[in-house]
Amino acid sequence: MAEPAPAPPPAQPGTPAAEPVTGRWDRGWRGELGRLLEVVALVGLVVTQPLLDVLGRSPDFFLFHRSDPGQILLLTALVAVAPTVPVAVLGALSRVAGRTVRALTHTGLVGLLLAALAVQVGRHATPLRGVPLLLVAGLAGVAGAAAHRRWRAPGRVLRLAAAGPVAFVALFLLVSPTSAVVLPRGDGGAAGTAQGPGGHPPVVMLILDELPLVSLLGADGRIDAARFPHFAELAGASTWYRNATGVSGWTPNALPAMLTGRYPARSVAPHYSQYPDNLFTAFGGLYDIHAQESITRVCPPSRCEQPVSPEQGLGVLVRETGKLLGQVAGPTPTRVDPEDSYREQTRAEAGLDAAEPVPADPKFRWDSLDDNQPARFTSFLAGLKPEPRPALHFLHLLMPHSPWAYLPSGVRYDAPEDLPNDGTGWVELARQRHLAQLGYTDRLIGETLRTLRASGLYDQALVVVTADHGVSFRAGAQGRGMDAIKAAAGEVAWVPMFVKEPGQQAGRVDDRNWEHVDLLPTVADQAGIRLPWRVDGRSARQAPRTDGTKHFYDRPGEPVTFPGGVPAPPPLPAPHPLVGTEVHAGPAGGSATVADLAAFRATDPDTGTLPALVWGDVPDRIPDGTLLAVAVNGRIGAVVPVVPTDPGGRRFAALLTDDQLFRAGTNQLDVYQIATDGTLRRLALS
């Protein structure tokens, strides 16, 4: 028989009693709260801060997507809170498996978040990119997790840093340029007064976007009438200020300078609360305003209501913000620019009726062009008609701005979002896509001129067509920033600038030093309006500047100067002699992978969309730079090189600008490798 267990010894004086259950419970949940605060701090640094930083400096993102303050506040709350929830829930669920599993899970989460933070820091502080950066960030995450588990100090620092997301949200809502869009203050400035005895003609202003002057020019320095007949028509009946330059490569700075007559001085939202004195307030007392803005909101509600297309809603904001997070957090270099998402809705997508029937033209798919008109442009055309009072018709159209999606005929095509715009092979493709979309923009200019003539406004009106800035396609300096300005100012700063005065019939060229701060004083002068504020620009009715210096602002308040003078167009590469020729089935050899082959098996041109951009991968045995010929239905439409390996693989991409290559139904796509002796070897496609 077992002996009874001995009774526990009596407690000695000074020995602490066993901890009550409630004490252990309190300590456990205090620990859980501490872990939650650490997660909040790290997610805030990895997600909330970088996203709100980009969006805070991009009020145009919200203006383009028609976001109201409520939607912006909801998005801000989602960015600040939603990413923390799944991480916190995972940690809480691990508690069910015991304290050890909970501790290990939390340490692992801390390590992953620290690695993600190290990726972002490494992109800015080191030359590492891609896999090497991921490896270094992974080691940093492991080291950080070990330090967090071994010592208490890292955890304490993180718990203090949990206040970060609150500070990030406050800065976004109260201090950033976007704050003016969320919490607008003021509603416009002073109205202009009548100037002189003349009347006030109708004013029609069409502001294009990302259009270098040199893209329109032929080798002789004139508008290339064969490729851009409607721009040439406009130049033939207006004053062409050929030495005209924008003042910034960024629309939120460039367009307000055009509409206020003042150089960019501060980094603020392109919003009426920040620019109370502008074209619309000056004209508002004497003119009816019909304004269609895209990524600005300079016209105050008291002067005009803007939305034409339906509100795009919170879902679009969340989707595009998710794409931005991928750019911000990724280990590869990217140019984080919300403008990459600015695709104009078409007339059909916005549910608008056509402004007018378009004439039949056997050379172009006019029906598709009408279907694919941007909604803002359709509404603009519909408003071009005589009115009892003087009217200002204003449209800022994001054409031929990227994303490039149109052929010259107006037919749309799809393209992958990860195609680079810079680097060997890619710059050439980017310029081709830009020029194709510019050809489509030329059709829109033609429709504008036709509508003005049909309505009787053409002879009466002051017609202004220009662009806010250009873009560089120089290898190694593609884009609109300072690198591009230093390497190719002629492509970034110089823009087309046409002013057709009322009754003007003959065209003329004026090579004065025009800067886009001259736009408002010139238009006001022509319209008989005295501006009630000081401007930096001067009217074209005044004597030209004696100084030819140009002023350009990559950052507001920090002008860069360079000499003026009309730039010469860069030489375009001659088309490959095989383009346009018929090709018969040659010997097979090798293979390639092509995206969306199914689109060639069921093509319907009547939808206004064609698989005109062909892209894919080739195996490693095909050397970099190898030329590939892309043919549709037995006719070669493009010859392109295999580009060096990038994060997307060993790729090629070809734009087939001639939509007459396609037919309804099944189309035969072939890709041929061009040997050094010129022979073609057909690649098997998958």
Side-chain angles (χ1 to χ4, degrees):
M1 184 173 179
E3 296 182 2
Q12 299 298 317
T15 301
E19 180 181 15
V21 174
T22 54
R24 291 197 301 272
W25 187 87
D26 288 342
R27 186 158 54 87
W29 282 104
R30 284 199 301 271
E32 283 300 312
L33 178 60
R35 295 186 184 100
L36 176 61
L37 291 176
E38 292 171 11
V39 168
V40 168
L42 286 170
V43 172
L45 292 171
V46 172
V47 178
T48 307
Q49 190 279 331
L51 276 181
L52 292 185
D53 177 59
V54 172
L55 294 175
R57 289 182 281 109
S58 306
D60 45 307
F61 172 79
F62 297 103
L63 294 169
F64 176 78
H65 290 296
R66 306 290 190 198
S67 307
D68 58 40
Q71 292 170 341
I72 300 175
L73 290 172
L74 279 174
L75 179 70
T76 306
L78 286 173
V79 168
V81 176
T84 303
V85 172
V87 181
V89 168
L90 177 62
L93 290 176
S94 68
R95 184 179 175 84
V96 177
R99 295 175 61 185
T100 301
V101 173
R102 174 68 182 102
L104 291 174
T105 300
H106 181 67
T107 300
L109 291 174
V110 168
L112 286 174
L113 290 169
L114 286 173
L117 181 61
V119 168
Q120 297 183 32
V121 173
R123 276 181 50 177
H124 290 88
T126 74
L128 295 175
R129 298 293 184 270
V131 174
L133 176 56
L134 285 177
L135 292 175
V136 172
L139 292 174
V142 170
H148 175 270
R149 186 166 179 80
R150 182 178 180 87
W151 296 298
R152 292 183 178 181
R156 290 172 176 169
V157 171
L158 286 177
R159 294 176 192 188
L160 290 174
V166 177
F168 304 148
V169 169
L171 290 172
F172 174 79
L173 295 178
L174 302 176
V175 178
S176 75
T178 296
S179 64
V181 180
V182 187
L183 305 168
R185 296 173 292 275
D187 188 18
T193 56
Q195 173 179 277
H200 305 294
V203 178
V204 178
M205 299 182 67
L206 175 56
I207 312 297
L208 302 172
D209 205 301
E210 205 173 70
L211 172 51
L213 169 66
V214 293
S215 292
L216 291 173
L217 301 182
D220 60 357
R222 299 178 180 273
I223 304 294
D224 188 337
R227 299 170 65 199
F228 309 112
H230 301 295
F231 276 106
E233 176 188 359
L234 177 63
S238 63
T239 302
W240 176 17
Y241 295 95
R242 195 166 50 178
N243 189 21
T245 49
V247 299
S248 176
W250 311 105
T251 300
N253 298 329
L255 197 56
M258 298 164 69
L259 300 182
T260 64
R262 293 170 173 168
Y263 292 116
R266 298 180 299 129
S267 182
V268 295
H271 194 267
Y272 58 83
S273 64
Q274 305 298 314
Y275 296 98
D277 297 324
N278 60 67
L279 168 76
F280 306 112
T281 58
F283 277 60
L286 299 169
Y287 276 72
D288 290 335
I289 309 293
H290 307 294
Q292 299 289 340
E293 296 181 76
S294 56
I295 57 177
T296 61
R297 187 68 165 99
V298 176
C299 189
S302 61
R303 298 300 186 197
C304 54
E305 289 299 325
Q306 288 206 25
V308 177
S309 55
E311 296 287 337
Q312 298 190 37
L314 184 63
V316 174
L317 292 182
V318 172
R319 184 187 71 228
E320 297 300 335
T321 301
K323 293 179 183 178
L324 283 178
L325 178 60
Q327 292 178 291
V328 169
T332 55
T334 55
R335 183 177 64 89
V336 181
D337 186 358
E339 287 191 21
D340 289 339
S341 69
Y342 298 168
R343 189 183 76 80
E344 295 271 11
Q345 282 190 313
T346 66
R347 176 191 61 81
E349 289 169 340
L352 298 180
D353 295 328
E356 290 183 32
V358 292
D361 188 324
K363 293 185 295 182
F364 300 103
R365 299 178 188 273
W366 282 106
D367 289 341
S368 298
L369 173 65
D370 187 49
D371 288 340
N372 292 345
Q373 280 181 185
R376 262 184 279 267
F377 181 71
T378 298
S379 179
F380 173 71
L381 289 187
L384 295 180
K385 58 187 66 173
E387 299 183 22
R389 274 171 49 86
L392 167 64
H393 304 270
F394 177 91
L395 173 66
H396 173 213
L397 186 65
L398 293 176
M399 296 294 290
H401 193 290
S402 62
W404 302 299
Y406 290 96
L407 300 182
S409 63
V411 170
R412 283 181 294 163
Y413 62 89
D414 293 324
E417 294 184 354
D418 66 340
L419 281 186
N421 291 334
D422 206 353
T424 304
W426 297 120
V427 170
E428 293 81 359
L429 178 65
R431 188 188 293 274
Q432 289 174 15
R433 295 178 65 194
H434 158 77
L435 291 174
Q437 192 141 305
L438 179 54
Y440 166 65
T441 307
D442 183 73
R443 309 295 163 205
L444 302 183
I445 294 294
E447 283 198 71
T448 303
L449 297 176
R450 179 182 58 80
T451 302
L452 285 170
R453 290 191 175 99
S455 68
L457 272 184
Y458 182 82
D459 289 330
Q460 307 172 30
L462 172 69
V463 180
V464 176
V465 177
T466 187
D468 56 353
H469 57 75
V471 64
S472 164
F473 293 97
R474 185 75 58 89
Q478 201 276 336
R480 295 165 281 135
M482 277 309 302
D483 288 344
I485 274 292
K486 292 176 181 177
E491 295 184 41
V492 180
W494 271 262
V495 292
M497 180 69 234
F498 305 102
V499 177
K500 189 206 74 68
E501 299 179 13
Q504 184 174 354
Q505 299 295 324
R508 67 186 186 92
V509 175
D510 189 327
D511 282 342
R512 73 176 63 213
N513 179 13
W514 173 291
E515 295 189 281
H516 258 346
V517 287
D518 301 339
L519 180 64
L520 176 61
T522 298
V523 172
D525 217 358
Q526 295 278 3
I529 290 181
R530 180 180 292 106
L531 297 175
W533 66 87
R534 183 193 62 80
V535 295
D536 297 322
R538 68 169 58 201
S539 168
R541 285 188 169 182
Q542 296 177 269
R545 292 182 176 86
T546 56
D547 182 5
T549 302
K550 298 291 188 178
H551 301 83
F552 198 83
Y553 293 75
D554 186 56
R555 295 181 178 180
E558 301 178 17
V560 176
T561 59
F562 46 85
V566 181
L572 293 177
H576 194 280
L578 285 177
V579 173
T581 63
E582 293 186 359
V583 61
H584 302 287
S591 63
T593 302
V594 174
D596 201 16
L597 274 176
F600 289 87
R601 293 193 288 268
T603 301
D604 184 4
D606 289 340
T607 62
T609 303
L610 291 172
L613 186 68
V614 179
W615 73 95
D617 316 280
V618 294
D620 290 341
R621 69 171 190 79
I622 299 180
D624 294 346
T626 299
L627 293 180
L628 303 179
V630 180
V632 176
N633 298 322
R635 187 176 297 276
I636 295 177
V639 174
V640 296
V642 175
V643 300
T645 303
D646 64 18
R650 299 195 67 255
R651 296 189 287 179
F652 70 94
L655 181 65
L656 307 173
T657 57
D658 182 5
D659 55 335
Q660 301 300 322
L661 293 170
F662 296 88
R663 62 190 177 211
T666 301
N667 290 262
Q668 177 64 39
L669 173 68
D670 291 300
V671 178
Y672 297 88
Q673 180 178 340
I674 304 176
T676 53
D677 62 0
T679 59
L680 302 181
R681 186 172 294 277
R682 184 166 51 84
L683 303 180
L685 303 183
S686 62

